[in-house]
Every structure is written in C-alpha cells, then in structure tokens.
C-alpha cells in the first residue's frame, strides 16, 4: 500500500494564499497519477487538480488560474499552491494516489482543513 500524509491547511482571509503538501511513501508504481480532492460540508468529494508521473496536469474549472499542482519525485512530495483564495474554497482537502492503469486501486490521505474567511 501507499501512505499519504497531508499538511499545510489552516485559516486564511479571502485573497490570501496557502500551500498544501503531501508526503508519499510505500510501493509506488512508476506510472501513476497524484490528485488533490476537496469535500465541503454536505457536498460530494470533487477533484481539484491532478498530475501524472509524466508531468501533465488537469484542473477543475473553478480553480484554473489560481491553483497550481506540482510534484517533486526525488523527495516523494506533491504540492498544491493555492492563490487568490475564496470562501467557496473552504473544504477538507485530500491527497490521492492511483497507479496507471489503476485496476480499481487508489489510496487516500487523512485530509487537511482549509478555511477561507470573508
């Protein structure tokens, strides 16, 4: 199994910035995709951003131009830089790992709370 530990969440005012970090350990397949998801109270978990081992990225329309996902493979780290934060970004953010092809397998971290005040 792969272990994921998120950090960097907290309370920030609208317009501010935060950087989330995800430390990855375990048996990692060379071809994989890492993702950041978020879940607000009463809502389903949604994909925020993803990055493949080859470097290609995808973003939710709501965060394009504001968030940047990156990875540092030698350090086994994945990051989410969050700029121009809005109150609607408030949620628990989760780090996700999935091999490619996934074969139905993926792993999740415990989550980190991000709260944006107006």
């Amino acid at each position: 199994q792969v272990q994921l530990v998120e950090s960097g969440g907290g309370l920030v005012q609208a317009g501010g910035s935060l950087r989330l970090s995800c430390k990855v350990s375990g048996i990692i397949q060379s071809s994989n995709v890492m993702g950041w998801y978020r879940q607000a109270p009463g809502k389903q978990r949604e994909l925020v951003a993803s990055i493949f081992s080859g470097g290609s990225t995808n973003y939710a329309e709501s965060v394009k131009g504001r968030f940047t996902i990156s990875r540092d493979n030698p350090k086994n780290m994945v990051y989410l830089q969050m700029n121009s934060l809005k109150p609607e970004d408030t949620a628990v953010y989760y780090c996700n790992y999935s091999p490619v092809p996934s074969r139905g397998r993926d792993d999740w971290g415990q989550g980190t709370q991000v709260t944006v005040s107006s």
Side-chain angles (χ1 to χ4, degrees), residues 35-67:
W36 284 98
Y37 290 71
R38 67 186 181 188
Q39 187 169 24
K43 297 183 178 180
Q44 292 185 324
R45 189 172 300 184
E46 64 175 350
L47 176 66
V48 176
S50 62
I51 183 167
F52 285 80
S53 51
S56 62
T57 59
N58 294 101
Y59 295 92
E61 288 294 330
S62 60
V63 306
K64 284 184 177 179
R66 299 189 297 121
F67 292 8

Side-chain angles (χ1 to χ4, degrees), residues 101-113:
S102 68
R103 297 183 178 181
R105 295 183 59 187
D106 63 348
D107 296 282
W108 296 87
Q110 296 297 313
T112 184
Q113 176 71 48

Side-chain angles (χ1 to χ4, degrees), residues 8-12 18 20 112-116:
L11 176 64
V12 65
L18 285 173
L20 306 183
T112 184
Q113 176 71 48
V114 172
T115 302
V116 184

Side-chain angles (χ1 to χ4, degrees), residues 8-116:
L11 176 64
V12 65
Q13 294 182 1
S17 298
L18 285 173
R19 187 183 72 166
L20 306 183
S21 299
C22 176
K23 186 176 183 179
V24 188
S25 61
I27 303 174
I28 304 171
Q29 187 172 298
S30 58
S31 296
N32 62 77
V33 58
M34 301 295 304
W36 284 98
Y37 290 71
R38 67 186 181 188
Q39 187 169 24
K43 297 183 178 180
Q44 292 185 324
R45 189 172 300 184
E46 64 175 350
L47 176 66
V48 176
S50 62
I51 183 167
F52 285 80
S53 51
S56 62
T57 59
N58 294 101
Y59 295 92
E61 288 294 330
S62 60
V63 306
K64 284 184 177 179
R66 299 189 297 121
F67 292 8
T68 302
I69 188 171
S70 61
R71 61 191 297 167
D72 187 339
N73 292 333
K75 296 183 178 179
N76 296 319
M77 297 289 291
V78 183
Y79 305 98
L80 184 67
Q81 180 66 47
M82 309 165 66
N83 298 327
S84 302
L85 283 162
K86 304 175 180 179
E88 50 263 45
D89 295 318
T90 296
V92 177
Y93 284 71
Y94 298 90
C95 187
N96 170 266
Y97 161 89
S98 182
V100 178
S102 68
R103 297 183 178 181
R105 295 183 59 187
D106 63 348
D107 296 282
W108 296 87
Q110 296 297 313
T112 184
Q113 176 71 48
V114 172
T115 302
V116 184

